[in-house]
Amino acid sequence: MPYTKTMHIAIDARIINTSTGRYVERLVHYLQQIDTTNTYTILVPSKDLVFVTLRNPNFTLLAADFDNYSFEEQTKFKRFLDNLAPDLVHFCMPQQPILYKGGHVTTIHDLTLLQTYNSDKNWLIFHAKQLVGRFVFKRVAQSSKFILTPTQHVKNDLQKFVAIPDEKIVVTYEAADTAPGALQEYSHPFKQFLLYVGQQSDYKNIKRLCDAHQQLLQTHPDLGLILVGRKNASVQKHQRYVENMKYKNILFTGFVEDSQRDWLFTHTAAYIFPSLMEGFGLPGLEAMAYGAPVVSSSATCLPEVYGEAAHYFDPRDTYDMVRAINEVLVDDDLKNKLINNGHTQLGKYSWHRMATQTHDVYMKALRK
C-alpha cells in the first residue's frame, strides 16, 4: 500500500569519488526523477560535494567526513546517523557502522576485499582488514533488510559466503551511457592501440596484459597499449615491471579528462578487460557505448554482463589472451560483429531501471 506520510531516506554516498562512484551518482540522478515526494539526504565527504548535482527540493546534501573502515565510522558515524534519524539508510557499500540499529539496505558490489590481496598494500594491515571485512560482510548481510547486488554472479557468491534467502537479495544491473559534449583528442605515438581504463590492482591482471601485448608485437609491430588511470602505487608497480622487462609501446597515461578517455574509446583497435574478478565490469560496457570492440576475460560475472558482445579468453592463460586479441585485430567481420552486438547489449541495461528497482526496494524495506 502507498504511504500516507513523507519518509526520510538517507543515502550513504561516501564512495562517490571512487571506482564505484558512477553507480551512486547515477542512482541519485535518477531517483530525483522517480521520487518527488519523500525526503532524501545524500551523505558525501566535504571534499566530494561537487560530485553530486541536486535539482529537486526534496533532496539535500550533507557532509559526512568519516573514513571507510575506520574506528570513527563505527562510533562517530553511528552517532551521526542516530541524530539524523532517517526512516531508512541505503549504505552504497558494505562498510558501515555495524551497531547501527535503524532500518537499512546495503549494496554489495563484489567480494573482492575478501578474495584477493593487493601486493602494493601492507601485508599485515591488508589481511587484518580482510578478517574484519569477513565479519562486517556477514553482519551486514544479516542486519540489512535487503541486499542489492549488480549481478547474479555476486548474488550467488554472497550466498556461498553467508546464508541469505533469495528474496532478501535483489539484483539491480548497472548500465553505461555516453557523456555529453565534444571529445578531446588524446595525443599518443601509436598507429594502432589497445586500451585499458581503470584501476590496476593485482586482480585486474595488468601484468599478463602487458606480457600478451609484447607477444602481439611479433605480428603487429606498430601496436600500442594505452593504460588509463591515476598513477597510484599499483600503476607505479606496473610501470617498474614494464621498464625492468624492457617492454615497448606501452603508455601509462596517468589521469586524463573524461573527454580524452572517451576519445580513446572511440579510436582503439580493441578494448581489453583482463580482470580475474569483477562485480559488474562497467568499463567494458562503456567501451561498447563508444563503439569499441571488447575482448574480455571469461572470469566471474563478465560473460553474464557482456553476453555475445565480447570475445573471451582465459585470463590466467597469456597465450589465450594473445589468441583472442589477435583474432579481433585480423578479422574485420568479427570486429564489426562485436561492435554491433555491443550496441544491442547496451540496450539491455538502464540506469533509470536500476534506480527504479532500488526505489522499489526502499519502499519494501519501509514496510517491513
Side-chain angles (χ1 to χ4, degrees), residues 197-275:
V197 176
Q199 294 186 4
Q200 296 188 25
S201 303
D202 287 357
Y203 72 92
K204 296 294 187 178
N205 207 24
I206 300 303
K207 279 187 179 180
R208 284 196 182 95
L209 174 57
C210 293
D211 295 342
H213 169 260
Q214 294 302 292
Q215 292 184 37
L216 285 162
L217 288 180
Q218 297 175 19
T219 51
H220 305 275
D222 296 323
L223 183 67
L225 171 61
I226 298 180
L227 302 165
V228 177
R230 297 178 186 273
K231 291 190 177 181
N232 56 19
S234 296
V235 175
Q236 291 169 11
K237 178 184 65 179
H238 288 125
Q239 281 186 291
R240 290 192 296 270
Y241 175 75
V242 165
E243 291 167 2
N244 291 337
M245 297 296 290
K246 301 187 185 316
Y247 282 173
K248 300 177 181 179
N249 290 17
I250 298 179
L251 174 63
F252 294 86
T253 67
F255 171 79
V256 300
E257 298 291 342
D258 288 353
S259 59
Q260 293 178 306
R261 176 204 63 197
D262 298 341
W263 183 91
L264 289 168
F265 276 138
T266 65
H267 287 80
T268 186
Y271 181 81
I272 317 300
F273 206 61
S275 186

Coordinates of all heavy atoms in Angstrom, one line a residue, residues 197-275:
V197 N 41.2 0.9 -19.3 CA 40.8 2.0 -18.5 C 40.5 1.5 -17.1 O 39.6 0.6 -16.9 CB 39.7 2.8 -19.0 CG1 39.3 4.0 -18.1 CG2 40.0 3.4 -20.4
G198 N 41.1 2.1 -16.0 CA 40.6 1.7 -14.7 C 41.8 1.4 -13.7 O 43.0 1.7 -14.0
Q199 N 41.4 0.9 -12.6 CA 42.4 0.6 -11.5 C 43.3 -0.5 -12.0 O 43.0 -1.3 -12.9 CB 41.7 0.2 -10.3 CG 40.9 1.3 -9.6 CD 40.3 0.8 -8.3 OE1 40.6 -0.3 -7.8 NE2 39.6 1.7 -7.6
Q200 N 44.5 -0.7 -11.3 CA 45.4 -1.7 -11.7 C 45.8 -2.5 -10.5 O 47.0 -3.0 -10.4 CB 46.6 -1.0 -12.3 CG 46.3 -0.3 -13.7 CD 47.6 0.1 -14.4 OE1 48.6 -0.4 -14.2 NE2 47.4 1.1 -15.2
S201 N 44.9 -2.8 -9.6 CA 45.1 -3.7 -8.5 C 45.5 -5.1 -9.1 O 45.2 -5.4 -10.3 CB 43.9 -3.8 -7.6 OG 43.5 -2.6 -7.1
D202 N 46.1 -5.9 -8.3 CA 46.6 -7.2 -8.8 C 45.6 -8.0 -9.5 O 45.8 -8.6 -10.6 CB 47.1 -8.1 -7.6 CG 48.5 -7.5 -7.1 OD1 49.0 -6.5 -7.6 OD2 49.0 -8.1 -6.1
Y203 N 44.3 -8.1 -9.0 CA 43.3 -8.9 -9.6 C 42.9 -8.4 -11.0 O 42.2 -9.0 -11.7 CB 42.1 -9.0 -8.7 CG 41.2 -7.8 -8.5 CD1 40.1 -7.6 -9.3 CD2 41.5 -6.9 -7.5 CE1 39.3 -6.5 -9.2 CE2 40.7 -5.8 -7.3 CZ 39.6 -5.6 -8.2 OH 38.8 -4.5 -8.0
K204 N 43.3 -7.1 -11.3 CA 42.9 -6.6 -12.6 C 43.8 -7.2 -13.7 O 43.5 -7.1 -14.9 CB 43.1 -5.1 -12.6 CG 42.2 -4.3 -11.7 CD 40.7 -4.5 -12.2 CE 39.8 -3.6 -11.4 NZ 38.4 -3.6 -11.8
N205 N 44.9 -7.9 -13.3 CA 45.6 -8.8 -14.3 C 46.4 -8.0 -15.3 O 46.5 -8.5 -16.5 CB 44.7 -9.8 -14.9 CG 45.3 -11.1 -15.4 OD1 46.3 -11.5 -14.9 ND2 44.7 -11.7 -16.4
I206 N 46.9 -6.9 -14.9 CA 47.6 -6.0 -15.9 C 48.9 -6.5 -16.4 O 49.3 -6.4 -17.5 CB 47.8 -4.6 -15.3 CG1 46.4 -4.0 -14.9 CG2 48.5 -3.6 -16.3 CD1 45.4 -3.9 -16.1
K207 N 49.7 -7.2 -15.5 CA 51.0 -7.8 -15.9 C 50.8 -8.8 -17.1 O 51.5 -8.7 -18.1 CB 51.6 -8.5 -14.8 CG 52.4 -7.6 -13.8 CD 53.1 -8.4 -12.8 CE 53.9 -7.5 -11.8 NZ 54.7 -8.3 -10.8
R208 N 49.8 -9.6 -17.0 CA 49.5 -10.6 -18.1 C 49.1 -9.8 -19.4 O 49.5 -10.2 -20.5 CB 48.5 -11.6 -17.7 CG 49.0 -12.7 -16.8 CD 48.0 -13.9 -16.8 NE 48.5 -14.9 -15.8 CZ 48.0 -15.0 -14.6 NH1 47.1 -14.2 -14.1 NH2 48.4 -16.0 -13.8
L209 N 48.4 -8.7 -19.2 CA 48.0 -7.9 -20.4 C 49.3 -7.4 -21.1 O 49.4 -7.4 -22.3 CB 47.1 -6.8 -20.0 CG 46.7 -5.8 -21.1 CD1 46.1 -6.5 -22.3 CD2 45.7 -4.8 -20.6
C210 N 50.2 -6.9 -20.3 CA 51.4 -6.3 -20.8 C 52.3 -7.4 -21.5 O 52.8 -7.2 -22.6 CB 52.3 -5.7 -19.7 SG 51.5 -4.2 -19.0
D211 N 52.3 -8.6 -20.9 CA 53.0 -9.8 -21.5 C 52.4 -10.1 -22.8 O 53.1 -10.4 -23.8 CB 52.9 -11.0 -20.5 CG 53.7 -10.8 -19.2 OD1 54.5 -9.8 -19.1 OD2 53.4 -11.5 -18.2
A212 N 51.1 -10.2 -22.8 CA 50.4 -10.5 -24.1 C 50.6 -9.5 -25.2 O 50.8 -9.9 -26.3 CB 48.9 -10.7 -23.8
H213 N 50.6 -8.3 -24.8 CA 50.9 -7.2 -25.8 C 52.2 -7.4 -26.4 O 52.4 -7.2 -27.6 CB 50.8 -5.8 -25.1 CG 51.2 -4.7 -26.0 ND1 52.5 -4.1 -25.8 CD2 50.7 -4.1 -27.0 CE1 52.7 -3.2 -26.7 NE2 51.6 -3.1 -27.5
Q214 N 53.2 -7.7 -25.6 CA 54.6 -7.9 -26.2 C 54.7 -9.0 -27.2 O 55.4 -9.0 -28.2 CB 55.6 -8.1 -25.0 CG 55.8 -6.9 -24.1 CD 56.2 -5.6 -24.9 OE1 57.3 -5.5 -25.4 NE2 55.3 -4.6 -25.0
Q215 N 53.9 -10.1 -26.9 CA 53.8 -11.2 -27.9 C 53.2 -10.8 -29.1 O 53.6 -11.2 -30.2 CB 53.1 -12.4 -27.2 CG 53.9 -13.0 -26.1 CD 53.1 -14.3 -25.6 OE1 52.5 -15.0 -26.3 NE2 53.2 -14.5 -24.2
L216 N 52.2 -9.9 -29.0 CA 51.4 -9.4 -30.2 C 52.3 -8.6 -31.1 O 52.1 -8.4 -32.3 CB 50.2 -8.7 -29.8 CG 49.0 -9.5 -29.3 CD1 48.0 -8.7 -28.5 CD2 48.3 -10.2 -30.4
L217 N 53.3 -7.9 -30.5 CA 54.2 -7.1 -31.3 C 55.0 -7.9 -32.4 O 55.4 -7.3 -33.4 CB 55.3 -6.4 -30.4 CG 54.7 -5.3 -29.5 CD1 55.8 -4.7 -28.7 CD2 54.0 -4.2 -30.3
Q218 N 55.1 -9.2 -32.2 CA 55.8 -10.0 -33.2 C 55.0 -10.0 -34.5 O 55.7 -10.1 -35.6 CB 55.9 -11.5 -32.7 CG 56.7 -11.6 -31.4 CD 56.7 -13.0 -30.9 OE1 56.4 -14.0 -31.6 NE2 57.1 -13.2 -29.6
T219 N 53.7 -9.9 -34.5 CA 52.9 -9.9 -35.7 C 52.3 -8.5 -36.0 O 51.8 -8.2 -37.1 CB 51.8 -11.0 -35.7 OG1 51.1 -10.8 -34.5 CG2 52.4 -12.3 -35.8
H220 N 52.3 -7.7 -35.0 CA 51.7 -6.3 -35.1 C 52.7 -5.3 -34.5 O 52.5 -4.8 -33.4 CB 50.4 -6.2 -34.3 CG 49.3 -7.2 -34.8 ND1 48.5 -7.0 -35.8 CD2 49.0 -8.4 -34.2 CE1 47.7 -8.1 -36.0 NE2 48.0 -9.0 -35.0
P221 N 53.8 -5.1 -35.2 CA 54.9 -4.3 -34.6 C 54.6 -2.9 -34.2 O 55.3 -2.3 -33.4 CB 56.0 -4.4 -35.7 CG 55.3 -4.7 -36.9 CD 54.1 -5.6 -36.5
D222 N 53.6 -2.3 -34.8 CA 53.2 -0.9 -34.5 C 52.1 -0.8 -33.5 O 51.6 0.3 -33.2 CB 52.8 -0.2 -35.8 CG 53.9 -0.1 -36.9 OD1 55.0 0.1 -36.5 OD2 53.6 -0.3 -38.1
L223 N 51.7 -1.9 -32.9 CA 50.6 -1.9 -31.9 C 51.0 -1.3 -30.6 O 52.0 -1.8 -30.0 CB 50.1 -3.3 -31.7 CG 48.9 -3.5 -30.8 CD1 47.6 -2.9 -31.5 CD2 48.6 -5.0 -30.5
G224 N 50.3 -0.4 -30.1 CA 50.5 0.2 -28.8 C 49.5 -0.4 -27.8 O 48.5 -1.0 -28.1
L225 N 49.8 -0.2 -26.5 CA 49.0 -0.5 -25.4 C 48.9 0.8 -24.5 O 49.9 1.2 -24.0 CB 49.5 -1.7 -24.6 CG 48.7 -2.0 -23.3 CD1 47.3 -2.3 -23.5 CD2 49.4 -3.1 -22.5
I226 N 47.7 1.3 -24.4 CA 47.5 2.5 -23.6 C 46.7 2.1 -22.3 O 45.6 1.6 -22.4 CB 46.7 3.6 -24.4 CG1 47.6 4.0 -25.6 CG2 46.4 4.8 -23.5 CD1 46.9 5.1 -26.4
L227 N 47.3 2.4 -21.2 CA 46.7 2.1 -19.9 C 46.3 3.4 -19.2 O 47.2 4.2 -18.8 CB 47.7 1.3 -19.0 CG 48.2 0.0 -19.6 CD1 49.4 -0.5 -18.9 CD2 47.1 -1.0 -19.6
V228 N 45.0 3.6 -19.0 CA 44.5 4.9 -18.5 C 44.2 4.7 -17.0 O 43.4 3.8 -16.6 CB 43.2 5.4 -19.2 CG1 42.7 6.6 -18.6 CG2 43.6 5.6 -20.7
G229 N 44.7 5.6 -16.2 CA 44.4 5.6 -14.7 C 45.4 6.4 -14.0 O 46.5 6.6 -14.4
R230 N 44.9 6.9 -12.8 CA 45.8 7.7 -12.0 C 47.0 6.9 -11.6 O 47.0 5.7 -11.3 CB 45.1 8.1 -10.7 CG 43.9 9.1 -11.0 CD 43.2 9.4 -9.7 NE 42.0 10.2 -9.9 CZ 41.9 11.5 -10.1 NH1 43.0 12.2 -10.0 NH2 40.8 12.1 -10.3
K231 N 48.2 7.6 -11.5 CA 49.4 6.9 -11.2 C 49.6 6.7 -9.7 O 50.4 7.3 -9.0 CB 50.6 7.6 -11.8 CG 50.6 7.5 -13.3 CD 51.9 8.1 -13.9 CE 51.9 7.9 -15.4 NZ 53.2 8.4 -16.1
N232 N 48.8 5.7 -9.1 CA 48.9 5.4 -7.7 C 50.0 4.3 -7.6 O 50.7 4.0 -8.5 CB 47.6 4.9 -7.2 CG 47.0 3.8 -8.0 OD1 47.7 3.1 -8.7 ND2 45.7 3.6 -7.8
A233 N 50.1 3.7 -6.4 CA 51.1 2.7 -6.1 C 51.0 1.5 -7.1 O 52.0 0.9 -7.5 CB 51.0 2.2 -4.7
S234 N 49.8 1.0 -7.4 CA 49.6 -0.1 -8.3 C 50.1 0.2 -9.7 O 50.8 -0.6 -10.3 CB 48.1 -0.5 -8.3 OG 47.6 -0.9 -7.1
V235 N 49.8 1.4 -10.2 CA 50.3 1.7 -11.5 C 51.8 1.9 -11.5 O 52.5 1.4 -12.5 CB 49.6 3.1 -12.0 CG1 50.2 3.5 -13.3 CG2 48.1 2.9 -12.1
Q236 N 52.4 2.5 -10.5 CA 53.8 2.7 -10.5 C 54.5 1.3 -10.4 O 55.6 1.1 -11.0 CB 54.2 3.5 -9.2 CG 53.7 5.0 -9.4 CD 53.9 5.7 -8.1 OE1 54.5 5.2 -7.1 NE2 53.3 6.9 -8.0
K237 N 53.9 0.4 -9.8 CA 54.5 -1.0 -9.7 C 54.5 -1.6 -11.1 O 55.5 -2.2 -11.5 CB 53.7 -1.9 -8.8 CG 54.1 -3.3 -8.7 CD 53.2 -4.1 -7.8 CE 51.8 -4.2 -8.4 NZ 50.9 -5.0 -7.6
H238 N 53.4 -1.4 -11.9 CA 53.4 -2.0 -13.2 C 54.4 -1.2 -14.2 O 54.9 -1.8 -15.1 CB 52.0 -1.9 -13.8 CG 51.1 -2.9 -13.1 ND1 49.9 -2.6 -12.5 CD2 51.2 -4.3 -13.0 CE1 49.3 -3.7 -12.0 NE2 50.1 -4.7 -12.3
Q239 N 54.5 0.1 -13.9 CA 55.5 0.8 -14.7 C 56.9 0.3 -14.5 O 57.7 0.1 -15.5 CB 55.5 2.3 -14.3 CG 54.3 3.1 -15.0 CD 54.4 4.6 -14.7 OE1 54.3 5.0 -13.6 NE2 54.7 5.3 -15.7
R240 N 57.2 0.0 -13.3 CA 58.5 -0.6 -13.0 C 58.7 -2.0 -13.6 O 59.8 -2.3 -14.1 CB 58.7 -0.7 -11.4 CG 58.9 0.6 -10.7 CD 59.4 0.5 -9.3 NE 58.4 -0.2 -8.5 CZ 57.5 0.4 -7.8 NH1 57.3 1.7 -7.8 NH2 56.6 -0.3 -7.0
Y241 N 57.7 -2.8 -13.6 CA 57.7 -4.1 -14.3 C 58.0 -3.9 -15.7 O 58.8 -4.6 -16.3 CB 56.4 -4.8 -14.0 CG 56.2 -6.1 -14.8 CD1 56.9 -7.2 -14.3 CD2 55.4 -6.2 -15.9 CE1 56.8 -8.5 -15.0 CE2 55.3 -7.4 -16.6 CZ 56.0 -8.5 -16.1 OH 55.8 -9.7 -16.8
V242 N 57.3 -3.0 -16.4 CA 57.4 -2.8 -17.8 C 58.9 -2.3 -18.1 O 59.5 -2.8 -19.1 CB 56.4 -1.8 -18.3 CG1 56.7 -1.2 -19.7 CG2 55.0 -2.4 -18.4
E243 N 59.4 -1.4 -17.3 CA 60.7 -0.9 -17.5 C 61.8 -2.0 -17.3 O 62.7 -2.1 -18.1 CB 61.0 0.3 -16.6 CG 60.2 1.5 -16.9 CD 60.2 2.5 -15.8 OE1 60.9 2.3 -14.8 OE2 59.5 3.6 -15.9
N244 N 61.6 -2.8 -16.3 CA 62.6 -3.9 -16.0 C 62.6 -4.9 -17.0 O 63.6 -5.5 -17.3 CB 62.2 -4.5 -14.6 CG 62.5 -3.6 -13.4 OD1 63.3 -2.6 -13.6 ND2 61.9 -3.8 -12.3
M245 N 61.4 -5.2 -17.6 CA 61.3 -6.2 -18.7 C 61.7 -5.6 -20.1 O 61.7 -6.3 -21.0 CB 59.8 -6.7 -18.7 CG 59.4 -7.5 -17.5 SD 60.4 -9.0 -17.2 CE 59.7 -10.0 -18.5
K246 N 61.9 -4.3 -20.1 CA 62.3 -3.6 -21.3 C 61.2 -3.8 -22.4 O 61.4 -3.9 -23.6 CB 63.6 -4.1 -21.9 CG 64.8 -3.9 -20.9 CD 66.1 -4.2 -21.5 CE 67.2 -4.1 -20.5 NZ 67.2 -2.9 -19.6
Y247 N 59.9 -3.7 -21.9 CA 58.8 -3.8 -22.9 C 58.7 -2.5 -23.7 O 59.0 -1.4 -23.2 CB 57.5 -4.0 -22.1 CG 57.3 -5.5 -21.6 CD1 56.3 -5.8 -20.8 CD2 58.2 -6.5 -22.0 CE1 56.1 -7.1 -20.3 CE2 58.0 -7.8 -21.6 CZ 57.0 -8.1 -20.8 OH 56.8 -9.4 -20.4
K248 N 58.1 -2.6 -24.9 CA 58.0 -1.5 -25.8 C 56.5 -1.2 -26.0 O 55.7 -2.0 -25.9 CB 58.7 -1.8 -27.1 CG 60.2 -2.1 -27.0 CD 60.7 -2.5 -28.4 CE 62.2 -2.8 -28.3 NZ 62.7 -3.2 -29.6
N249 N 56.3 0.1 -26.5 CA 55.0 0.5 -27.0 C 53.9 0.4 -25.9 O 52.7 0.2 -26.2 CB 54.5 -0.3 -28.2 CG 55.4 0.0 -29.4 OD1 56.5 0.6 -29.3 ND2 54.9 -0.4 -30.6
I250 N 54.2 0.7 -24.6 CA 53.2 0.7 -23.6 C 53.2 2.1 -22.9 O 54.3 2.6 -22.5 CB 53.5 -0.4 -22.5 CG1 53.4 -1.8 -23.1 CG2 52.5 -0.3 -21.3 CD1 53.7 -2.9 -22.2
L251 N 52.1 2.7 -22.9 CA 51.9 4.0 -22.3 C 51.0 4.1 -21.1 O 49.8 3.6 -21.2 CB 51.4 5.0 -23.4 CG 51.0 6.4 -23.0 CD1 52.3 7.1 -22.6 CD2 50.3 7.1 -24.2
F252 N 51.5 4.5 -20.0 CA 50.7 4.8 -18.8 C 50.4 6.3 -18.8 O 51.2 7.1 -18.7 CB 51.5 4.4 -17.5 CG 51.8 3.0 -17.4 CD1 53.0 2.4 -18.0 CD2 51.0 2.1 -16.7 CE1 53.3 1.1 -17.9 CE2 51.3 0.8 -16.5 CZ 52.4 0.3 -17.1
T253 N 49.1 6.6 -19.0 CA 48.7 8.0 -19.2 C 48.6 8.8 -17.9 O 48.8 10.0 -17.9 CB 47.3 8.1 -19.8 OG1 46.3 7.6 -18.9 CG2 47.3 7.3 -21.1
G254 N 48.4 8.1 -16.8 CA 48.0 8.9 -15.6 C 46.6 9.4 -15.8 O 45.9 8.9 -16.7
F255 N 46.2 10.4 -15.0 CA 44.8 10.9 -15.1 C 44.6 11.6 -16.4 O 45.5 12.3 -16.9 CB 44.6 11.9 -14.0 CG 43.3 12.7 -14.1 CD1 42.1 12.1 -13.8 CD2 43.3 13.9 -14.7 CE1 40.9 12.8 -13.9 CE2 42.1 14.6 -14.8 CZ 40.9 14.0 -14.5
V256 N 43.5 11.3 -17.1 CA 43.1 12.0 -18.3 C 41.6 12.5 -18.1 O 40.8 11.9 -17.3 CB 43.1 11.1 -19.5 CG1 44.6 10.6 -19.8 CG2 42.2 10.0 -19.5
E257 N 41.3 13.6 -18.7 CA 39.9 14.1 -18.7 C 39.0 13.1 -19.3 O 39.4 12.3 -20.2 CB 39.9 15.4 -19.4 CG 40.7 16.5 -18.8 CD 40.2 17.0 -17.4 OE1 39.0 16.8 -17.1 OE2 41.0 17.6 -16.7
D258 N 37.7 13.2 -18.9 CA 36.7 12.2 -19.4 C 36.6 12.3 -20.9 O 36.5 11.3 -21.6 CB 35.4 12.5 -18.8 CG 35.3 12.0 -17.3 OD1 36.3 11.4 -16.9 OD2 34.3 12.3 -16.7
S259 N 36.7 13.6 -21.5 CA 36.6 13.8 -22.9 C 37.7 13.1 -23.7 O 37.5 12.6 -24.8 CB 36.5 15.3 -23.2 OG 37.7 15.9 -22.8
Q260 N 38.9 13.1 -23.1 CA 40.0 12.4 -23.7 C 39.9 10.9 -23.6 O 40.2 10.1 -24.5 CB 41.3 12.9 -23.0 CG 41.7 14.3 -23.3 CD 42.9 14.7 -22.6 OE1 43.1 14.6 -21.4 NE2 43.9 15.3 -23.4
R261 N 39.5 10.4 -22.4 CA 39.3 9.0 -22.2 C 38.3 8.5 -23.2 O 38.5 7.4 -23.9 CB 38.7 8.7 -20.8 CG 38.4 7.3 -20.5 CD 37.4 7.2 -19.4 NE 36.1 7.9 -19.7 CZ 35.2 8.2 -18.8 NH1 35.4 8.0 -17.6 NH2 34.1 8.8 -19.2
D262 N 37.2 9.2 -23.4 CA 36.1 8.8 -24.4 C 36.6 8.8 -25.8 O 36.2 8.0 -26.6 CB 34.9 9.6 -24.2 CG 34.3 9.5 -22.8 OD1 34.6 8.5 -22.1 OD2 33.5 10.4 -22.3
W263 N 37.5 9.8 -26.1 CA 38.1 9.8 -27.4 C 38.9 8.5 -27.7 O 38.9 7.9 -28.7 CB 39.0 11.0 -27.6 CG 39.7 11.2 -28.9 CD1 39.2 11.9 -30.0 CD2 40.9 10.6 -29.4 NE1 40.0 11.8 -31.1 CE2 41.1 11.0 -30.7 CE3 41.9 9.8 -28.8 CZ2 42.2 10.7 -31.5 CZ3 43.0 9.5 -29.5 CH2 43.1 9.9 -30.9
L264 N 39.7 8.1 -26.6 CA 40.4 6.9 -26.7 C 39.5 5.7 -27.0 O 39.9 4.8 -27.7 CB 41.3 6.7 -25.5 CG 42.5 7.6 -25.3 CD1 43.0 7.6 -23.9 CD2 43.6 7.3 -26.3
F265 N 38.4 5.6 -26.3 CA 37.4 4.6 -26.5 C 37.0 4.5 -28.0 O 36.9 3.4 -28.6 CB 36.1 4.8 -25.7 CG 36.2 4.3 -24.3 CD1 35.7 5.1 -23.2 CD2 36.7 3.1 -24.0 CE1 35.7 4.6 -21.9 CE2 36.7 2.6 -22.7 CZ 36.2 3.4 -21.6
T266 N 36.8 5.7 -28.6 CA 36.3 5.7 -30.0 C 37.4 5.3 -31.0 O 37.1 5.0 -32.2 CB 35.7 7.1 -30.4 OG1 36.8 8.1 -30.3 CG2 34.6 7.5 -29.4
H267 N 38.7 5.4 -30.6 CA 39.7 5.2 -31.6 C 40.6 3.9 -31.3 O 41.5 3.6 -32.1 CB 40.7 6.4 -31.6 CG 40.1 7.6 -32.2 ND1 39.2 8.5 -31.6 CD2 40.2 8.2 -33.4 CE1 38.8 9.4 -32.4 NE2 39.5 9.3 -33.5
T268 N 40.3 3.2 -30.3 CA 41.1 2.0 -30.0 C 40.7 0.9 -31.0 O 39.6 0.7 -31.5 CB 40.8 1.5 -28.6 OG1 41.7 0.4 -28.3 CG2 39.4 1.0 -28.3
A269 N 41.7 0.0 -31.3 CA 41.5 -1.1 -32.1 C 40.7 -2.2 -31.3 O 39.9 -2.9 -31.9 CB 42.9 -1.7 -32.5
A270 N 40.9 -2.2 -30.0 CA 40.1 -3.1 -29.2 C 40.2 -2.7 -27.7 O 41.3 -2.3 -27.3 CB 40.5 -4.6 -29.3
Y271 N 39.2 -2.8 -27.0 CA 39.2 -2.5 -25.5 C 39.5 -3.9 -24.9 O 38.7 -4.8 -25.1 CB 38.0 -1.9 -25.0 CG 38.1 -1.6 -23.5 CD1 38.7 -0.5 -23.0 CD2 37.5 -2.5 -22.6 CE1 38.9 -0.3 -21.7 CE2 37.7 -2.3 -21.2 CZ 38.4 -1.2 -20.8 OH 38.5 -1.0 -19.4
I272 N 40.5 -4.0 -24.0 CA 40.8 -5.3 -23.4 C 40.5 -5.2 -21.9 O 40.9 -4.3 -21.2 CB 42.4 -5.6 -23.5 CG1 42.8 -5.3 -25.0 CG2 42.6 -7.0 -23.2 CD1 42.1 -6.0 -26.1
F273 N 39.8 -6.2 -21.4 CA 39.4 -6.3 -20.0 C 39.9 -7.6 -19.4 O 39.2 -8.6 -19.5 CB 37.9 -6.2 -19.9 CG 37.5 -5.6 -18.5 CD1 37.8 -4.4 -18.1 CD2 36.7 -6.4 -17.7 CE1 37.4 -3.8 -16.9 CE2 36.3 -5.9 -16.5 CZ 36.6 -4.6 -16.1
P274 N 41.1 -7.6 -18.9 CA 41.8 -8.9 -18.5 C 41.5 -9.4 -17.1 O 42.1 -10.3 -16.6 CB 43.3 -8.5 -18.6 CG 43.3 -7.1 -18.2 CD 42.0 -6.5 -18.7
S275 N 40.6 -8.8 -16.4 CA 40.4 -9.0 -14.9 C 40.1 -10.4 -14.5 O 39.4 -11.2 -15.2 CB 39.2 -8.1 -14.5 OG 39.1 -8.1 -13.0

